[in-house]
Amino acid sequence: MDALRQWSVSAPWEFRDTECTVSADVRDDVLVVQVEEKLSADQWKGQFNAKHIEELTSKTGNFKQFAVFLNMLESAITKSSDTVSLDLLTYADLEAMRNRKLGAREPSPAKPPSRQLHSKRYLILTYTVEFDRIHYPLALPYAGKPDPALLQETIRKLQTELERYKKQGQKHTAMTRLQKDYDALLREKENLEEAFEAFRQEVMITRQGNASKELRILKKVIKNLEVCVAMKSCGMCGHYMASYPRALSTVRVHILNGNAPGYEATCSVSIIPNPASLLAE
């Protein structure tokens, strides 16, 4: 029974063109059933413990355990099974149904129902099997209309909740505007980063092109000087200066000790960068 301590179900129903709401709750093995008319807000409510339900089902000749009865009632309220259904009867309707079951053509004279019985409603849970229909009546005393104080409190809570939703809507509008501004700034930042990256690549390509061009010129100058030096005869210390007209650097060639006894001609080539070329970098 532990799994049944917290159990609740509710659904709209229509009984004889009257719209109602049928609810059932289980708290600590006590079943609470309520029917409320939508138009008049009249309520009928009854409480039944497990023993009462099992005795009720036993009197019908088709005993059901409390847990099984709850499953049947839930299926009937939610209309999830064709074997169970609901009906809402008055005391007069219930007496007429009993008389039909007993086969009496005319209702037996009976004492007029009291005001309390007249105000009751009976929620009939009908279980249909292959060759029989079993009715389980649940007596629901009249509970009156909802308390105006409770209704007022409910209205106040709904108004508070509505105001909260309105404020949330205003915050949502402000957040939407801020989000759009943020997205625009983010796109602008990405565009600037792309432009900077393109500029950086362009600068790197330009520097690489100038360096390659200067290197080619220097190689050509050195090659020409080597040929020139190899063809000249030197004194004890010859000092020659060679420069290329379009070179960005000055090339200085030293020929040392070319005719000294026991020494061979030795050439030393040093490259002195032009300050203008350094500034160009």
Side-chain angles (χ1 to χ4, degrees):
M1 300 296 293
D2 292 341
L4 302 177
R5 292 187 182 277
Q6 302 294 328
W7 182 86
S8 178
V9 64
S10 180
W13 266 83
E14 186 173 326
F15 303 106
R16 295 170 177 80
D17 299 328
T18 302
E19 294 182 359
C20 300
T21 299
V22 180
S23 305
D25 297 272
V26 174
R27 296 291 183 272
D28 298 328
D29 300 335
V30 175
L31 171 64
V32 179
V33 179
Q34 176 177 297
V35 176
E36 179 179 346
E37 285 189 3
K38 184 177 180 180
L39 185 60
S40 65
D42 288 330
Q43 295 179 345
W44 293 266
K45 182 184 295 185
Q47 295 185 2
F48 314 91
N49 57 29
K51 181 179 179 181
H52 179 90
I53 292 296
E54 290 178 355
E55 289 178 353
L56 172 67
T57 60
S58 179
K59 290 178 181 179
T60 64
N62 195 309
F63 173 78
K64 299 294 181 185
Q65 292 183 347
F66 186 56
V68 176
F69 184 86
L70 292 180
N71 291 333
M72 293 170 56
L73 182 60
E74 179 183 13
S75 298
I77 293 175
T78 58
K79 303 176 184 179
S80 58
S81 175
D82 295 333
T83 60
V84 287
S85 60
L86 294 177
D87 199 1
L88 188 66
L89 304 178
T90 63
Y91 178 80
D93 296 330
L94 187 62
E95 285 296 315
M97 187 176 69
R98 286 175 178 172
N99 291 333
R100 285 195 300 270
K101 186 176 181 181
L102 294 175
R105 296 184 178 180
E106 296 293 336
S108 57
K111 183 179 179 180
S114 64
R115 182 182 180 88
Q116 185 178 6
L117 286 177
H118 182 73
S119 63
K120 274 187 177 181
R121 294 293 183 269
Y122 297 86
L123 186 67
I124 311 300
L125 172 63
T126 301
Y127 175 52
T128 303
V129 293
E130 188 175 2
F131 300 107
D132 200 1
R133 288 165 60 88
I134 299 94
H135 304 287
Y136 302 102
L138 297 175
L140 306 179
Y142 180 65
K145 297 181 184 294
D147 187 353
L150 294 177
L151 289 178
Q152 187 65 29
E153 180 65 17
T154 301
I155 292 173
R156 188 189 63 80
K157 290 181 180 179
L158 291 175
Q159 289 176 343
T160 302
E161 189 173 359
L162 181 60
E163 290 297 327
R164 182 169 60 86
Y165 284 141
K166 286 182 178 179
K167 291 180 180 179
Q168 288 181 351
Q170 293 174 356
K171 291 181 180 180
H172 177 72
T173 301
M175 287 297 297
T176 301
R177 184 172 61 255
L178 291 175
Q179 183 66 39
K180 289 182 180 179
D181 294 341
Y182 171 78
D183 293 339
L185 290 174
L186 186 61
R187 287 192 298 268
E188 184 176 355
K189 172 180 171 293
E190 292 174 351
N191 293 336
L192 289 174
E193 288 178 347
E194 291 176 0
F196 174 76
E197 181 64 22
F199 173 74
R200 192 177 67 84
Q201 293 292 336
E202 184 178 354
V203 170
M204 290 181 60
I205 293 173
T206 302
R207 288 183 176 178
Q208 290 176 358
N210 291 338
S212 299
K213 182 179 179 180
E214 183 177 353
L215 183 60
R216 287 195 303 270
I217 293 173
L218 291 176
K219 285 183 177 180
K220 187 174 181 180
V221 171
I222 292 172
K223 184 176 181 181
N224 292 339
L225 288 173
E226 288 176 350
V227 174
C228 180
V229 169
M231 295 177 63
K232 289 182 179 291
S233 59
C234 303
M236 289 295 296
C237 180
H239 181 202
Y240 296 88
M241 179 73 70
S243 61
Y244 196 79
R246 293 186 181 180
L248 297 178
S249 302
T250 300
V251 180
R252 180 174 293 168
V253 181
H254 297 272
I255 302 175
L256 303 174
N257 300 327
N259 293 331
Y263 287 90
E264 295 182 355
T266 303
C267 296
S268 175
V269 179
S270 62
I271 302 174
I272 303 174
N274 190 335
S277 65
L278 293 176
L279 292 176
E281 296 180 357

